[in-house]
């Protein structure tokens, strides 16, 4: 199956320190990204639950208040999917941006609709 790389950038009216837990903790991710999220702290594997279906991903890169990357665990797929959240600040305007990179089976239009909806939910939570 073909893979597509989606990159979206979203402006937030919130600090990097405030946003980071929404991308890196089970409780933060469960508020906007998935119905529920569980973490196995030993191997840093996150289990994301959507409508009763589970998907597992390993936290492979993490820098506090800057970025988080998850590699999706799928034994049937040699070219693994991943998604990454990068939090950047424009020093000139002091605006905070979240750049999302999603490498998956979703085409660009489908990924764009999904991420815009998810980010809308997150903005309602953080007020940004």
């Amino acid at each position: 199956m073909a893979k597509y790389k989606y990159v979206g950038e979203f402006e937030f009216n919130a600090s990097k320190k405030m946003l980071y837990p929404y991308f890196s903790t089970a409780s933060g991710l469960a508020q906007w990204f998935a119905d529920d999220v569980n973490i196995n702290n030993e191997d840093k594997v996150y289990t994301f639950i959507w409508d009763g279906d589970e998907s597992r991903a390993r936290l492979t890169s993490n820098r506090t208040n800057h970025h988080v990357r998850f590699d999706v665990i799928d034994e049937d797929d040699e070219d693994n999917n991943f998604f990454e959240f990068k939090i950047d600040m424009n020093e000139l305007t002091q605006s905070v941006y979240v750049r999302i990179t999603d490498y998956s089976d979703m085409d660009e239009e489908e990924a764009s609709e999904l991420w815009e909806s998810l980010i809308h939910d997150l903005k309602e939570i953080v007020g940004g």
Side-chain angles (χ1 to χ4, degrees):
M1 182 172 272
K3 299 281 185 170
Y4 301 92
K5 184 175 182 179
Y6 166 80
V7 178
E9 194 168 271
F10 303 91
E11 184 176 7
F12 279 83
N13 295 321
S15 71
K16 291 165 67 172
K17 189 181 271 189
M18 180 185 167
L19 287 172
Y20 180 75
Y22 288 99
F23 302 116
S24 61
T25 66
S27 60
L29 287 161
Q31 289 185 52
W32 69 279
F33 183 67
D35 297 335
D36 196 15
V37 180
N38 300 306
I39 303 174
N40 179 332
N41 286 320
E42 280 185 33
D43 55 8
K44 296 184 181 179
V45 171
Y46 287 55
T47 302
F48 299 95
I49 301 167
W50 293 279
D51 298 326
D53 292 332
E54 290 186 2
S55 180
R56 295 173 357 117
R58 179 171 279 110
L59 177 65
T60 55
S61 181
N62 178 23
R63 183 169 168 219
T64 304
N65 298 330
H66 290 279
H67 77 268
V68 179
R69 177 180 164 137
F70 295 96
D71 288 353
V72 177
I73 299 168
D74 184 355
E75 288 79 19
D76 298 332
D77 191 353
E78 290 179 17
D79 188 15
N80 283 341
N81 299 351
F82 73 86
F83 52 96
E84 180 176 50
F85 307 108
K86 286 189 176 182
I87 308 169
D88 291 316
M89 178 182 280
N90 181 318
E91 297 299 327
L92 191 60
T93 64
Q94 298 298 304
S95 297
V96 173
Y97 293 89
V98 174
R99 180 179 297 126
I100 295 171
T101 303
D102 182 356
Y103 182 72
S104 69
D105 303 334
M106 285 187 294
D107 65 37
E108 186 140 357
E109 184 177 328
E110 188 180 5
S112 178
E113 287 177 17
L114 172 68
W115 285 109
E116 285 180 25
S117 173
L118 289 169
I119 293 298
H120 177 268
D121 294 347
L122 179 57
K123 283 185 174 186
E124 287 193 354
I125 294 166
V126 299

